[in-house]
Amino acid sequence: TKVRIVFDGSAKLKNCVNSNQILYKGPVLNPHLFDLLLKFRVHPIAITADLEKSYLQLRIEEKHRYFLRFLWYEDVFAAEAKILTYRFCHVPFGITPSQYLLNASLRKHGEKYTKKSIQSSREE
């Protein structure tokens, strides 16, 4: 089976800060549950979706990848296991800003395509 890493941004050493303490969380973009439930009651049609591997579809800028490093053993069973340092290229699941980055991206693309569809319908 495939291995999917969940980055534990809250893990920390003694007297050190962890990733989640220094990364900017961003504002909450999710609607309140009460408002969401009302929308399901008011409109005749509701659409839901599950975005598979959604976090892996968002790339991290090269200059920001340094802050999302993780360690990996090259060979766990070796006498002296060599530790490798990797950097995430995509938004990892398990850090504070992940939810904001996904929601902001979805909103941005939703607004972009809404504007395009409105313009194309006006031209016809």
Side-chain angles (χ1 to χ4, degrees), residues 10-59:
S10 62
K12 72 178 193 178
L13 298 172
K14 269 189 175 177
N15 302 322
C16 295
V17 296
N18 60 40
S19 298
N20 284 344
Q21 290 175 318
I22 60 172
L23 293 171
Y24 177 62
K25 183 179 181 177
V28 177
L29 297 178
N30 288 339
H32 293 286
L33 184 58
F34 181 74
D35 296 340
L36 195 61
L37 290 172
L38 280 179
K39 287 182 181 183
F40 273 91
R41 297 288 303 212
V42 172
H43 301 290
I45 298 173
I47 298 174
T48 63
D50 180 20
L51 302 174
E52 186 179 348
K53 302 174 192 168
S54 55
Y55 291 105
L56 296 176
Q57 296 177 26
L58 301 173
R59 293 188 62 78

Side-chain angles (χ1 to χ4, degrees), residues 59-105:
R59 293 188 62 78
I60 300 291
E61 284 188 46
E62 185 77 32
K63 63 183 179 182
H64 296 148
R65 293 179 187 173
Y66 175 79
F67 299 103
L68 296 173
R69 294 175 292 168
F70 64 96
L71 304 175
W72 197 262
Y73 288 112
E74 184 175 43
D75 182 9
V76 179
F77 302 108
E80 288 189 33
K82 182 179 177 186
I83 298 175
L84 304 173
T85 304
Y86 289 101
R87 297 179 302 158
F88 281 99
C89 296
H90 301 274
V91 174
F93 181 76
I95 59 170
T96 299
S98 296
Q99 185 176 5
Y100 168 75
L101 292 171
L102 177 62
N103 288 334
S105 298

